[in-house]
Structures are given as C-alpha cells and as structure tokens.
Amino acid sequence: MDTDFDETYVLLLLADSNLPTGSFVASSGFESYGTHGFLSLSSASSAGKGRAVTAGTVAFIQDSLHNYARSALPFVSDAHHIVDSFKDLEGKLKIDHDAAIEKLLKLDELYETMTLNHVAKRASKAQGVALLTLYAKGFTCPSGLSDEDHLSKSLTDLMDRLKWMVRGEKTHGHLPVCWGVLTGALGVSLLRAQHLFLFLHARSLLSSAVRLNTIGPYSSQQLLLHSVRPLVEAEVSQNKDMRTGIFVDMHPNGANNRPAMTWPLGEILAVRHDLQHSRIFNS
Amino acid sequence: MSSTAGESIPVGTGHIACDLHSSTVVFSKLSSSYPLKLLSPRVAEHGVAIVYVMSYGGGLVGGDCMQLIVEVGKECKLLLLSQGSTKVFKTRAGNRASTRFRRSSPQPTPSSLQDVTIQSMEVTIAPDSALFLLPDPVTCFRSASYTQMQTFHLAGSASIVLLDWVTSGRRSMGEDWDFLRYYSVNEVFVEGRRVARDVLLLDNPSLDTQIASESSSSNTTSRSPLRTLKDRLAPYSCYAMLLLYGPQTHGVVTDLQTKYRTISIFKRTAPERFLWSLTSVDDGKGTVIRAAGVDTEDVKNWFREALRGLEVVVGIDEYRKVFL
C-alpha cells in the first residue's frame, strides 16, 4: 500500500479521542486557572460574560500551547530521532538496543529535572506509560497473523524494555519522550508527530473546557478548526527544529535554541492544582 | 575588605573564593574587573561572609558581559547580595548611522549577540558549606535583551538557597513587560548529578514572527492576535523562583511546606494580588517555590517573612541585610 495511506491511517488511530491514554483526566492547569479567577480576565469589560470566558479559554490555550511547544516538543523530536535511526539498521542480524535505551533514559531524566512541577510530572508520567502499554497491547501484530519483519520485532522489544524500566521505576516515562518513541516506532514522520502532539494538547484543553462548562461542545469544535489551527501551525513551525541539546552540548552559545518554560503564571497555577477545594481533573 | 581591580583579568569578570580559618571566613580571592564590582563588608557572625555583587553605574547595557566564578570553601556560609535591582538598559545599536538607517528600513533587524546583556555565574559549594544567593530582582528596561546563566555544583552535604526574580520594568516610565527578551538558566548539580534545570524564557513576539503569522494561510477573521508578554503575565509585575537544597535549608523548607498545606482555594471571580506555589524536586531532597505579585514589594515582603528561618543559619544581623 501507498506509504501516505499507511501514515494517514496511523495518524487517524492516534488522533482518536477514545485512545486509552488517560488524557481525559488532565486539564494541564486549566481547571486551576479558572478557579483562581483568570478566565474572565481577558477583554472582560467590552464583551458579555460568556464572550469573556470564551476569550479567556482561547487565551489559556494560546499561552499553554506556546509554553508546551517550547518546553516539551524538543523532547519529542529527540526521542523520535533516536527510534527513527533504527531504520538505518534494517537488514542487520542483531540490533543492539543498549545505546538507544541509554539515550532515551538521559532524555527522560532531563525532562524530569526541567519539569519543576509535581502535578505536571504526575500527569506526564501517567500518559507516557499509557502510550507504551498501548503500543504493546494495541499496536503490535497479533501472534499467528504475523509476517512481522525483523525491524518491527526489534522495535517491539525496545518498547517493551522501556515499558518495564518505567514499571520498575528505573526511569520516569514522560509523555513527550514516549510520544516521540511511539511515533518513531510506528513510522510516523517527525513533522507529523510534532504537529499531532501539539494538536492533541490543544484538543485535550478544549475538551476539559467543555467538561468544565466554560465553552459548549459546538464552540469547542469551532475553536479547534478556526482559532486553534493557526496556533498549532505557528508553534510547530517555530519549534520544529529545536532540540534538547543533551546529545550535543548545553553550552551557553547554543542556549537560544534549547527547551524553556515561557509561562511562569501557568506554571504557578498548575502546581497549585491540588490546593483547589474541589476539583474534577487530576492536573 | 574591599575589592581589588586586577590588571590582568578580562573585562567584566570576577572571582570569589573563600575558606574557613578558625571560625572566620577568609577570602583567598576577591577580584573583579570593570564594570563588575565586588564588596565584602565585615561580618560578626562566625563562619558567615557577605559579598555584594554590583556593577559600576548601577546598570548594564546591551553588549555587557559579566562572568563570575564563586568557590565556597568547606563549612563556609556565603551570602551573595546586590544593592538595588540589576537594571538592564535598552539594547543599543552598533552606531548611530545604522540606527537611523534601520529606523527607516521596513525590515526587522535581527538582534545580534552583541546587543544582548549576558551575566554568567559558575559556583562550586564544598561539603558542609552553603550559598545564599539572594539578590534584588532584575529589571529589564524597554527593548532590553538579557541572558543569565547560573550553574551550581554542590557537594553531597552542601546547601543552597537561590533566588532568581524579574520585574516588568520601570513602572514610573509606563513600562510593563516591554523588554525584548529575558532568558534565565539555573542549573543545579549535586555530586555531578543534575537535579534541577530551571529555564525561563520571557520574550515578546518579534516583528518577524508577527509578519510570518500574518502571511499564514488560514483565514484572517477568526485568528487570535498574538499574545504579548504583558498579556501572558498580567496582572502581575514580578515573578520569582526560589530553589532550596541541602541540610541547612530544612528548617525553612519545613515551615514553607506547613504553610503551603493550609491553603485551600475556593472559586474566585478575580485573581489574588499575590500567588505562590511549592513543589519538591529530586525525590523531595530539593524544593522549588514560585511566586508572582502585582507589586514587587508584595513579593519581597513575602520572601522576607518566608525565609526568616534563615536567621538562625546566617545570623539575625546578616539576614537583616537581605530584602531591604
């Protein structure tokens, strides 16, 4: 079959909102943002309350997306690259995972030390390991039906090893790293993987907004198609070449192009999530 | 003891090295070169020393580059303070002729490395010693571009209290997050292992990203306008990050955790004047506090109270010199 169809098919699977990744319990700080009284802050005076809340929701998505693209996307890119380079080894009799595993663990550890937010870490780890499980249980070839080639078997082994290391608390299994690994293993191109990663983040924010009743379900679709789309595109194009730098150098000279947090207000509110008297989300 | 302006050291560099000699902290090195200035007042408290890190003229301009190396010797307690906020002046173009030319040119000018103000600090902290880096906040003026890189290497039993904060500018001049770019990296290693890397980037959308977004394919009616720094950070005009690690911070950390746990937030219609958050890092061995306030004074006053437990560590008179 045409490889474009192959990739599109995988993208359709990954974009399914029923995918069992547990993202529905995460609001990435949005619930806390509302509780703290920030939703009606933007352009509150001119428009009615409903309009102000919609504007506040879009503002949150914009700022959150901006921050997530700059802080997490480089980890997706690096992890994807590590797994993607396995393709070059196709045809070799024995593929050694140790070097790749070591790199992925380094990457995962860097994300852990850069995420100074226990609530975000909790959500990121839960969704990360869910992706690894999803691959093992949902995306590998069923036995018997298998004409599985050497490479995909090897990738399955790699994912399994990683999954057991997360389970055994040898590493954290953060979402951006696991997303890069998963999409790389499924043969999704880096640009598609980056784009879908940010799209899913934005969509998950919108669906938490619907559940919190700050916007309606139709409005959510409308925003996703018209307002969020250019935002996702802009963030992808701005950050697609950014890398963590951990495999090159973290020297000040390269500092302009390294992961960073861009929204300290969002960070404070996200950390304060657990202090809310009542809450429906986990982050 | 005062600073010695060394002839041989490069422009804008400084070196602090101290050791403990029978309960007195002695500086084996305390040197700096223009525009960096180091001053160490006499301190009564045993095992404690204070160094003020300053710059001539009280501010930095575009292109200034300051590098400071700090070695805290065994069992020393070193306080690094400033006198007044670090002011970062507007980026200056290379020469007037090109500035005039540039102004009439429709092309956005890429900010070159020359225009950026850079401050870097490399710190090593020996066993049983502690560094208290508690300066005034950085204030970036309109159009300023500032990069700060701080690296801390701790021995296993060493401690650190590190405060890094930034304000929205000169409010008297109507500045409110109007600088070009603020980039701050704080990286903490304990026995060679990275335990925290805090990277904060505050940048206003540059002219070229605005142009790029305007020419993007999607229809123009529904697109949301680009968010400026002010949009993102309102209603606050001061943001702070405080990192605590090591045995000498335990008292303060326990107090802060207790205080944090009592907070319970009910649904609000408008934001509070001051907000803070607490999180543990490195399996609870370190703590990171973030704070934001409508006024810088609110943030300063909160920190002065929150860290008062340090009085027993560094001495009451010494702590009085912090958060003036």
Side-chain angles (χ1 to χ4, degrees), chain B residues 19-61:
Chain B
D19 289 290
L20 197 67
H21 291 270
S22 58
S23 86
T24 305
V25 179
V26 176
F27 288 96
S28 58
K29 271 208 175 98
L30 189 65
S31 60
S32 64
S33 65
Y34 183 87
L36 186 65
K37 200 160 98 176
L38 303 172
L39 280 176
S40 179
R42 200 169 294 279
V43 170
E45 187 80 10
H46 288 332
V48 177
I50 297 175
V51 172
Y52 286 96
V53 181
M54 294 172 295
S55 61
Y56 282 93
L60 303 168
V61 294

Side-chain angles (χ1 to χ4, degrees), chain B residues 2 12 20 29 31 41 43 96 99 113 131 141 168 204 207 227 242 280-281 298-299 306:
Chain B
S2 74
L20 197 67
K29 271 208 175 98
S31 60
V43 170
R96 274 149 189 262
T99 315
L113 201 65
L131 175 74
F141 295 178
S168 63
N204 268 307
L207 208 54
R227 302 268 292 165
L242 176 82
S280 294
V281 296
D298 293 340
V299 181

Side-chain angles (χ1 to χ4, degrees), chain A residues 92-117:
Chain A
K92 288 202 176 151
L93 227 55
K94 192 180 177 309
I95 300 176
D96 187 17
H97 291 150
D98 291 357
I101 290 276
E102 194 189 320
K103 280 185 171 180
L104 289 170
L105 296 195
K106 262 190 166 171
L107 205 56
D108 206 21
E109 181 63 24
L110 182 64
Y111 193 77
E112 171 80 12
T113 59
M114 289 192 71
T115 310
L116 306 171
N117 176 342

Side-chain angles (χ1 to χ4, degrees), chain A:
Chain A
M1 199 167 51
D2 194 310
T3 52
D4 268 2
F5 272 133
D6 281 353
E7 191 182 51
T8 307
Y9 202 86
V10 173
L11 289 174
L12 288 171
L13 280 177
L14 291 175
D16 181 0
S17 61
N18 283 324
L19 214 62
T21 58
S23 67
F24 62 94
V25 297
S27 86
S28 306
F30 182 69
E31 185 176 18
S32 179
Y33 185 80
T35 304
H36 280 88
F38 283 84
L39 258 182
S40 42
L41 196 66
S42 65
S43 61
S45 51
S46 59
K49 190 171 178 288
R51 292 279 295 277
V53 168
T54 306
T57 305
V58 175
F60 180 90
I61 293 172
Q62 238 171 321
D63 295 342
S64 172
L65 205 54
H66 185 72
N67 183 59
Y68 202 50
R70 180 63 197 236
S71 59
L73 204 61
F75 288 87
V76 172
S77 309
D78 271 6
H80 185 281
H81 177 75
I82 292 166
V83 176
D84 195 50
S85 51
F86 267 84
K87 280 186 196 147
D88 305 337
L89 302 172
E90 193 163 10
K92 288 202 176 151
L93 227 55
K94 192 180 177 309
I95 300 176
D96 187 17
H97 291 150
D98 291 357
I101 290 276
E102 194 189 320
K103 280 185 171 180
L104 289 170
L105 296 195
K106 262 190 166 171
L107 205 56
D108 206 21
E109 181 63 24
L110 182 64
Y111 193 77
E112 171 80 12
T113 59
M114 289 192 71
T115 310
L116 306 171
N117 176 342
H118 61 282
V119 178
K121 281 196 277 201
R122 185 172 71 205
S124 173
K125 287 183 204 179
Q127 292 177 68
V129 74
L131 289 181
L132 299 178
T133 307
L134 174 70
Y135 184 87
K137 292 191 175 170
F139 287 172
T140 50
C141 278
S143 51
L145 193 122
S146 173
D147 58 338
E148 210 179 16
D149 60 75
H150 186 59
L151 177 67
S152 56
K153 193 169 175 331
S154 174
L155 285 171
T156 305
D157 289 347
L158 175 79
M159 300 280 282
D160 263 350
R161 254 182 86 178
L162 202 57
K163 191 183 76 185
W164 286 115
M165 295 189 91
V166 177
R167 291 266 166 82
E169 295 183 357
K170 302 249 183 331
T171 190
H172 316 282
H174 281 294
L175 177 61
V177 175
C178 294
W179 180 259
V181 171
L182 176 76
T183 50
L186 292 171
V188 176
S189 73
L190 177 58
L191 196 60
R192 294 273 171 215
Q194 292 168 332
H195 187 256
L196 187 52
F197 183 70
L198 294 184
F199 167 81
L200 289 175
H201 179 72
R203 194 190 60 187
S204 145
L205 293 178
L206 278 171
S207 84
S208 55
V210 172
R211 289 181 65 199
L212 288 164
N213 206 22
T214 74
I215 54 169
Y218 289 122
S219 166
S220 159
Q221 290 302 319
Q222 192 182 36
L223 289 173
L224 193 58
L225 181 59
H226 296 290
S227 304
V228 170
R229 183 175 166 179
L231 297 177
V232 170
E233 276 172 21
E235 292 301 342
V236 171
S237 71
Q238 223 172 72
N239 297 291
K240 64 182 185 336
D241 297 325
M242 201 161 300
R243 296 295 181 269
T244 65
I246 193 171
F247 304 120
V248 205
D249 69 299
M250 311 274 273
H251 195 263
N253 288 342
N256 289 344
N257 221 16
R258 297 291 174 243
M261 192 248 286
T262 64
W263 193 32
L265 174 60
E267 192 81 354
I268 292 172
L269 295 174
V271 173
R272 284 169 66 93
H273 177 85
D274 291 353
L275 302 179
Q276 292 172 96
H277 179 71
S278 70
R279 52 188 186 270
I280 61 174
F281 286 93
N282 202 17
S283 70

Side-chain angles (χ1 to χ4, degrees), chain B residues 296-317:
Chain B
T296 304
E297 282 303 309
D298 293 340
V299 181
K300 184 186 281 187
N301 293 338
W302 185 86
F303 273 114
R304 188 189 298 114
E305 285 311 309
L307 298 182
R308 195 166 291 283
L310 290 179
E311 283 180 346
V312 296
V313 183
V314 299
I316 292 175
D317 288 340

